[in-house]
Amino acid sequence: MSDDILARVCNLVAEILNMPPSEVNAGTTQADAPAWTSLGHLNIMLSLEQEFDVSLDPEQVESMTSIAAIVGVLREHA
Amino acid sequence: MSSHLEIADRHLAAAEILHATAALRVFFRAQPTLASARAVLARLEGLPQERLRRRVWVGRSFTIEPVFALLRAAALLEGLDLELRAGDFNTYAQEILDPDSALYAFDPHVVILAIQTRDLVPEVENYTGAQATQSVADAVANLSNLLSVLRERSAASVVVFDFAQPQHLADGVLDHQAANGQRGLVESLNDGLRAHAATMAGIFVLGFDALVASVGRANFFDERKWLTARMPFAAGSLWPVAQECLRVLLPATGRIRKAVVVDLDNTLWGGVIGEDGIEGIRIGREYPGAAYLAVQRVLLDLSRRGIILAVASKNNPDDALAVFDRHPAMLVRREHFAAMEIGWNPKPESLRKIAQELNIGLDSLVFVDDNPAEREAVRRELPEVLVLELPPDPMGYAACLREVPALERVRVAAEDRDRGRQYAEQRQRAALKTSAATLEDYYRSLDMTVEFTPLTEFNLARLSQLTQKTNQFNLTTRRYDEASLAALAQGGGVRIYGCTVRDRFGDNGLVGVAIVRTGPACWEIDTFLLSCRVIGRTVETAMLSHIAAQAREAGAGLLQGWFHPTPKNQPAVDFYQRHGFRQVEARDGAGLWEHDLTRADIAWPDWIARSVESLPA
């Protein structure tokens, strides 16, 4: 189940940031990805809310600056 | 069964762009999320496809960028390629007032102004009583001034979001008792905006407050996103906002569809006429017949907007027509339909015939059918047609048909309201054509009268619409929205001709436009077009003859004009050649043609009477 979430998150972030899927993995962080700007971050958060049907609070949004952190928060919701 | 995204990818691999686009439309509409938008953009951006490119400037008081991908994707699926550029955060006023701003440097075709109520009039949000009335009056004056300055400096179409009501009322239910409570103030703000916008060409109000209400005020906004990212919308509101923008942008840029083709059984009425009989089909005020009555109501509304209606049905014609003629509950009747293909032909063939009969392109059609197999067949055979994905429940059909952006109009000219009658008259003309012995007999039998009028505030909307919609008999296919046409007329050195045609069957209305740049020695035809309604009746010769005579009168010795070929303007390809022009220049497939006015006239077709009301100044 968690692997499934990881794969969906990687695909989603790659799609939203317009990056090749191969360049987004469990270790990717905002610092690694030039396209992950503050606007990119907002778009990622909005699409997570759309795709995973969750509502993220500001503290979570602030903390979700890596694939691992995103997957962690989504697992709490699951 | 594979997903529509996979279908699209298979078509893309085979370079079938139209088929891929048709499949992507289904994919995107089923789930219009940011990720879906990205998937569409990744597949369609940069493909060699005929598209209308438009630069759109977005002046705003909040973070609106997350809407852009959705808007771009949805527009691209309708052949509109938007370059969206956001102004700086909450600097829309400076951008409009500073003539050297990035807004004017961008030279946009469209300017969108998206301003929140709380950013324009904080006193409404932080309400402390009726003293906010003056603040609202000042805000209306400021906004009106901005729109006037923008109108003066730019020929762009302008789309202004109207102002949303506050989510919470400071005085609670007391507010509803007062004329100038918070709600009353926002209403007067919106009334002021509408009144001022109506005084200028090319300014369109987007019903933002109505959109908020229809989504649900409590769910539309996400206050946390506003406070942390200055983005006020909830994730689920991004698509409604993008769609509402598209509903204004498609008609404002002329990227519209002209006709709706409907199936009959289980679409226009419940049941199958061939099996259930006229007493057995379901249509009326009660459930479930009310669902179909609602569809008919939408069709009547669309018809009043100028959309052409047609039928494509697999039925015995007598059975189906009896319903139109005899069923007491039917709202739509035979006379509302410009074409009816009822028989046993495959649907794609019927749609082809309808397009041919109406003389419009397949990319002007919207197809409505309850049967998913028929929809898929049309998508596969005729990917240009917009096929509606109806919901499973017929109670949802009417709403689905109401929200098609390509069927929206921002202006309706008198001609549009009459369109149904005009097509019925067209059918009579076609019948006459088959009986007249020679072409000239046919022309004479039509009793045509042509009248030329200059650009006026009354015909501006129609003339602009013709430049944006006419594809076939159009020599240069230059599109002018209302604002740029008005600016052109004011600039001087130009004559703009509107051409009205009447015949024994009725008034065709304004059907021709010519724009001519009037140099001292040479007049150059910038735009010359004729609605497909009157192609092939020598009206074009009359127009050219009129222009040539006026040029000569003004002392010009030469009449020139370019022909720019497009995939659709084949009917106009030999126009200049047929009228004795010779080609003097060729560039990128286009040709410049010239006529020596000192040597020969262009003869007026003597079967057309002339009625010149006033000459363009």
Side-chain angles (χ1 to χ4, degrees):
Chain A
M1 183 63 192
S2 62
D3 280 351
D4 183 42
I5 291 184
L6 174 64
R8 282 174 68 195
V9 167
C10 288
N11 280 334
L12 189 65
V13 169
E15 190 103 80
I16 295 297
L17 299 181
N18 213 4
M19 293 170 65
S22 58
E23 287 181 22
V24 181
N25 53 51
T28 304
T29 70
Q30 183 169 17
D32 306 333
W36 197 331
T37 59
S38 55
L39 203 54
H41 189 63
L42 177 59
N43 281 330
I44 292 170
M45 296 302 121
L46 287 164
S47 59
L48 289 170
E49 292 188 333
Q50 289 178 338
E51 303 298 323
F52 289 87
D53 198 19
V54 292
S55 175
L56 302 169
D57 64 42
E59 289 78 6
Q60 290 171 324
V61 167
E62 204 180 337
S63 73
M64 293 163 83
T65 54
S66 66
I67 297 293
I70 291 173
V71 171
V73 170
L74 291 177
R75 260 190 222 142
E76 281 171 36
H77 275 275
Chain B
M1 184 166 153
S2 53
S3 79
H4 280 92
L5 194 59
E6 289 162 352
I7 296 174
D9 283 338
R10 280 204 297 277
H11 284 303
L12 283 173
E16 294 161 342
I17 299 174
L18 285 173
H19 288 85
T21 306
L24 286 172
R25 278 193 202 112
V26 183
F27 160 76
F28 183 69
R29 288 311 310 269
Q31 205 178 4
T33 61
L34 273 168
S36 302
R38 280 275 152 225
V40 168
L41 292 172
R43 285 164 177 81
L44 289 186
E45 276 181 327
L47 288 183
Q49 192 197 2
E50 192 211 344
R51 287 169 181 159
L52 185 66
R53 294 186 58 93
R54 285 293 177 257
R55 288 183 299 277
V56 180
W57 179 273
V58 185
R60 45 55 185 276
S61 73
F62 56 90
T63 302
I64 194 172
E65 284 86 338
V67 172
F68 285 6
L70 290 156
L71 178 54
R72 234 183 94 58
L76 213 46
L77 291 171
E78 271 298 302
L80 178 63
D81 188 355
L82 298 177
E83 185 184 344
L84 291 156
R85 181 81 58 88
D88 282 337
F89 189 83
N90 213 358
T91 58
Y92 59 90
Q94 296 93 307
E95 286 151 7
I96 291 171
L97 294 172
D98 176 5
D100 300 321
S101 72
L103 186 170
Y104 298 111
F106 184 57
D107 190 20
H109 298 94
V110 180
V111 174
I112 295 177
L113 285 179
I115 307 161
Q116 294 188 101
T117 313
R118 55 182 153 199
D119 299 326
L120 188 77
V121 207
E123 293 83 354
V124 168
E125 188 86 359
N126 312 317
Y127 184 75
T128 55
Q131 56 268 42
T133 307
Q134 187 56 44
S135 308
V136 167
D138 293 345
V140 170
N142 285 337
L143 186 63
S144 298
N145 178 53
L146 287 179
L147 291 174
S148 298
V149 171
L150 182 56
R151 178 69 306 142
E152 200 172 297
R153 290 195 185 146
S154 164
S157 296
V158 179
V159 178
V160 195
F161 280 43
D162 74 4
F163 295 90
Q165 291 285 353
Q167 215 172 329
H168 306 289
L169 298 171
D171 289 345
V173 296
L174 253 183
D175 194 88
H176 298 290
Q177 324 306 319
N180 51 3
Q182 273 172 295
R183 288 189 59 83
L185 287 174
V186 175
E187 277 165 21
S188 67
L189 179 58
N190 284 330
D191 288 346
L193 166 64
R194 260 175 263 283
H196 189 71
T199 64
M200 288 177 290
I203 299 202
F204 309 113
V205 175
L206 180 146
F208 182 65
D209 186 58
L211 177 73
V212 173
S214 77
V215 172
R217 212 170 291 283
N219 299 317
F220 191 89
F221 298 104
D222 181 346
E223 194 66 8
R224 293 174 303 184
K225 294 222 166 39
W226 166 247
L227 293 171
T228 53
R230 288 292 173 232
M231 208 291 292
F233 308 139
S237 305
L238 297 175
W239 167 239
V241 173
Q243 190 184 32
E244 196 64 25
C245 289
L246 197 66
R247 291 173 72 182
V248 180
L249 285 177
L250 287 183
T253 57
R255 200 75 191 181
I256 50 174
R257 291 180 185 260
K258 299 173 184 172
V260 172
V261 184
V262 287
D263 167 53
L264 297 179
D265 290 332
N266 285 318
T267 301
L268 206 61
W269 54 69
V272 177
I273 184 64
E275 292 169 15
D276 301 326
I278 194 160
E279 295 82 11
I281 58 169
R282 290 171 289 286
I283 169 101
R285 289 161 181 268
E286 314 297 327
Y287 183 86
Y292 304 97
L293 207 59
V295 171
Q296 298 195 11
R297 172 68 60 196
V298 182
L299 291 177
L300 283 186
D301 291 342
L302 292 174
S303 168
R304 282 191 311 117
R305 206 183 280 173
I307 313 270
I308 306 163
L309 305 181
V311 166
S313 163
K314 288 180 181 169
N315 256 315
N316 284 324
D318 290 347
D319 293 348
L321 290 173
V323 180
F324 285 96
D325 295 340
R326 293 189 8 232
H327 199 294
M330 289 285 285
L331 278 178
V332 287
R333 298 285 167 184
R334 273 204 229 201
E335 63 263 29
H336 294 113
F337 294 89
M340 287 187 157
E341 284 295 325
I342 305 173
W344 300 101
N345 285 330
K347 291 278 164 96
E349 197 179 321
S350 295
L351 263 68
R352 253 196 219 102
K353 281 189 174 166
I354 288 169
Q356 209 164 24
E357 186 177 339
L358 300 177
N359 212 359
I360 59 181
L362 287 164
D363 60 0
S364 278
L365 299 185
V366 175
F367 178 55
V368 186
D369 196 315
D370 66 293
N371 184 339
E374 300 286 18
R375 300 201 290 255
E376 206 50 51
V378 169
R379 234 176 251 125
R380 202 169 43 238
E381 293 279 317
L382 311 172
E384 304 93 331
V385 174
L386 177 63
V387 180
L388 289 198
E389 265 317 284
L390 293 175
D393 179 1
M395 287 300 283
Y397 289 0
C400 180
L401 186 50
R402 271 198 202 284
E403 69 172 28
V404 179
L407 294 176
E408 294 290 343
R409 299 293 184 266
V410 283
R411 289 290 295 267
V412 178
E415 279 80 1
D416 295 323
R417 299 266 186 222
D418 278 351
R419 176 119 340 116
R421 180 180 58 73
Q422 285 165 344
Y423 273 92
E425 290 165 3
Q426 185 70 37
R427 283 207 297 265
Q428 296 172 4
R429 284 183 200 103
L432 181 67
K433 192 167 183 172
T434 48
S435 68
T438 71
L439 209 50
E440 200 177 314
D441 289 344
Y442 166 66
Y443 296 145
R444 286 190 194 286
S445 68
L446 284 172
D447 274 338
M448 286 182 279
T449 303
V450 163
E451 178 177 299
F452 298 100
T453 51
L455 180 81
T456 67
E457 58 180 304
F458 303 109
N459 64 21
L460 172 64
R462 174 62 178 165
L463 292 184
S464 155
Q465 188 190 47
L466 279 168
T467 70
Q468 299 196 52
K469 288 191 354 186
T470 310
N471 296 318
Q472 297 185 55
F473 200 97
N474 194 336
L475 297 184
T476 54
T477 318
R478 291 189 179 124
R479 312 296 195 192
Y480 290 99
D481 55 33
E482 288 180 33
S484 51
L485 199 58
L488 190 67
Q490 267 164 12
V494 162
R495 286 198 194 187
I496 300 176
Y497 300 87
C499 175
T500 305
V501 178
R502 287 192 304 274
D503 63 30
R504 57 184 267 212
F505 297 103
D507 192 341
N508 292 279
L510 253 176
V511 287
V513 180
I515 301 173
V516 185
R517 298 184 186 275
T518 56
C522 171
W523 281 27
E524 190 194 324
I525 296 172
D526 169 281
T527 292
F528 193 105
L529 64 87
L530 204 57
S531 159
C532 55
R533 261 186 256 165
V534 293
I535 291 182
R537 293 165 49 181
T538 70
V539 173
E540 64 276 21
T541 304
M543 280 172 67
L544 192 65
S545 167
H546 181 67
I547 293 166
Q550 289 212 327
R552 213 140 81 126
E553 219 170 276
L558 279 180
L559 185 58
Q560 285 191 335
W562 283 93
F563 176 75
H564 291 277
T566 70
K568 289 185 175 164
N569 70 354
Q570 187 65 24
V573 69
D574 61 348
F575 174 70
Y576 282 129
Q577 196 176 10
R578 277 195 290 123
H579 291 87
F581 282 58
R582 58 189 186 87
Q583 190 172 347
V584 291
E585 202 182 321
R587 196 191 304 153
D588 304 331
L592 178 64
W593 295 77
E594 186 176 282
H595 185 75
D596 184 350
L597 294 167
T598 61
R599 289 179 43 200
D601 270 334
I602 291 166
W604 180 273
D606 69 359
W607 42 82
I608 297 184
R610 183 200 305 245
S611 148
V612 184
E613 211 167 49
S614 50
L615 296 176

